[in-house]
Amino acid sequence: MTSDGKVTPEDMVDLRTRVTAAVAGFPRQELPAEGRRLAAVAVALGEDAQGRPSFLLTRRAARLRTHAGQWALPGGRAEPGEDAATAARRELAEEVGIELSAEEVLGSLDDYATRSGFVMTPVVLWAGSRLQSTSPEAREVASVHVVPLDELGAPPRFLAIPESDRPVIQLPLLGSLIHAPTGAILHQFAELVLHGRHTRVAEFEQPVFAWR
């Protein structure tokens, strides 16, 4: 970092190295499908227009049949024969126009079982400056947000609901509250990368409106 606080290209190389090491040292937990469909989401990292370490977040289109208008990481159902990393890369390209090679996959976090019947694998990828050059698919994505990693520093909130004995996680971000599964995944990522902690999130519940 320069004397005026600007991030240098060397800082970004160091960030990629640190994230790669953190994810490689994380003993991720896999979940069996047990009749559920397999899905993957992309935790795409890089830099924003100001050169700050950032990640990509989207708002789903309002007219989608499921999870309309919700905050989400780019991702979706895996196609037959796809592994999680391939599915995440494909969905990232289809939803926001960022095409990444297999060499830019840094690793994966814990699987998360959704109420809508998916086992979701979060895949961490390095996009670098390409994070700033998105071309969202309007039928699926209402908006794309390049969010500085520092904004993941706010502690999550937990809400009790009568429909479940598991706490609903709410992650304060972008003037809103990000719920599971996205909020849970980002919380685990922040715990690992920003704080060096191995934190499990499978016990965190989704809000009832996201159960369908």
Side-chain angles (χ1 to χ4, degrees), residues 56-59 95-96 131 134-136 141-146:
L56 199 72
L57 190 65
T58 72
R59 196 86 186 238
E95 289 190 15
V96 299
L131 212 63
T134 60
S135 178
V141 178
S143 57
V144 178
H145 304 262
V146 180

Coordinates of all heavy atoms in Angstrom, one line a residue, residues 56-59 95-96 131 134-136 141-146:
L56 N -18.1 -9.7 -5.5 CA -19.2 -9.4 -6.4 C -20.5 -9.9 -5.7 O -20.5 -11.0 -5.3 CB -19.0 -10.0 -7.8 CG -19.9 -9.5 -8.9 CD1 -19.4 -8.1 -9.3 CD2 -19.8 -10.5 -10.1
L57 N -21.5 -9.1 -5.7 CA -22.8 -9.4 -5.2 C -23.9 -8.9 -6.2 O -23.7 -7.9 -6.8 CB -23.1 -8.8 -3.9 CG -24.3 -9.2 -3.0 CD1 -24.2 -10.7 -2.6 CD2 -24.4 -8.4 -1.8
T58 N -25.0 -9.7 -6.4 CA -26.0 -9.3 -7.3 C -27.4 -9.2 -6.6 O -27.6 -9.7 -5.5 CB -26.2 -10.3 -8.5 OG1 -26.8 -11.5 -8.0 CG2 -24.9 -10.6 -9.1
R59 N -28.3 -8.5 -7.2 CA -29.7 -8.5 -6.8 C -30.5 -9.2 -7.9 O -30.4 -8.9 -9.1 CB -30.2 -7.1 -6.7 CG -31.5 -6.9 -5.9 CD -31.2 -6.9 -4.4 NE -32.4 -6.9 -3.6 CZ -32.7 -5.9 -2.7 NH1 -32.0 -4.8 -2.6 NH2 -33.8 -6.0 -2.0
E95 N -24.4 -15.1 -15.9 CA -25.2 -14.1 -15.2 C -24.6 -12.7 -15.3 O -25.3 -11.7 -15.4 CB -25.3 -14.4 -13.7 CG -26.2 -15.6 -13.4 CD -26.5 -15.8 -12.0 OE1 -26.3 -14.9 -11.2 OE2 -27.0 -16.9 -11.6
V96 N -23.2 -12.6 -15.2 CA -22.6 -11.2 -15.2 C -21.5 -11.0 -16.2 O -20.9 -10.0 -16.2 CB -22.1 -10.9 -13.7 CG1 -23.2 -10.9 -12.7 CG2 -21.0 -11.9 -13.3
L131 N -13.5 -7.8 -12.2 CA -14.6 -7.5 -11.4 C -15.4 -6.2 -11.8 O -16.6 -6.1 -11.5 CB -14.1 -7.5 -9.9 CG -15.1 -8.0 -8.8 CD1 -15.4 -9.5 -9.0 CD2 -14.5 -7.7 -7.5
T134 N -18.6 -5.9 -15.9 CA -19.7 -6.9 -15.9 C -20.7 -6.6 -17.0 O -20.9 -5.4 -17.4 CB -20.4 -6.9 -14.5 OG1 -20.9 -5.6 -14.2 CG2 -19.4 -7.3 -13.4
S135 N -21.4 -7.6 -17.4 CA -22.5 -7.5 -18.4 C -23.6 -8.4 -17.9 O -23.8 -9.5 -18.4 CB -22.0 -7.9 -19.8 OG -23.0 -7.8 -20.7
P136 N -24.4 -7.8 -17.0 CA -25.5 -8.7 -16.4 C -26.5 -9.1 -17.4 O -26.9 -8.4 -18.3 CB -26.1 -7.8 -15.3 CG -25.7 -6.4 -15.7 CD -24.4 -6.5 -16.5
V141 N -30.7 -10.9 -13.5 CA -29.9 -10.0 -12.6 C -30.5 -8.6 -12.7 O -30.4 -8.0 -13.8 CB -28.4 -10.1 -12.9 CG1 -27.7 -9.1 -12.0 CG2 -27.9 -11.5 -12.8
A142 N -30.9 -8.1 -11.6 CA -31.4 -6.7 -11.6 C -30.3 -5.7 -11.5 O -30.3 -4.6 -12.1 CB -32.4 -6.5 -10.5
S143 N -29.3 -6.0 -10.7 CA -28.1 -5.1 -10.5 C -26.9 -5.9 -10.0 O -27.1 -7.0 -9.4 CB -28.5 -4.0 -9.5 OG -28.9 -4.6 -8.2
V144 N -25.8 -5.3 -10.3 CA -24.5 -5.9 -9.9 C -23.8 -5.0 -9.0 O -23.7 -3.8 -9.3 CB -23.6 -6.3 -11.1 CG1 -22.3 -6.9 -10.7 CG2 -24.3 -7.3 -12.0
H145 N -23.2 -5.5 -7.9 CA -22.5 -4.6 -6.9 C -21.1 -5.1 -6.6 O -21.0 -6.3 -6.3 CB -23.3 -4.5 -5.6 CG -24.7 -4.1 -5.8 ND1 -25.2 -2.8 -5.6 CD2 -25.8 -4.8 -6.3 CE1 -26.4 -2.7 -5.9 NE2 -26.9 -3.9 -6.3
V146 N -20.1 -4.3 -6.8 CA -18.7 -4.6 -6.5 C -18.5 -4.0 -5.1 O -18.5 -2.8 -4.9 CB -17.8 -4.0 -7.5 CG1 -16.3 -4.4 -7.1 CG2 -18.1 -4.6 -8.9

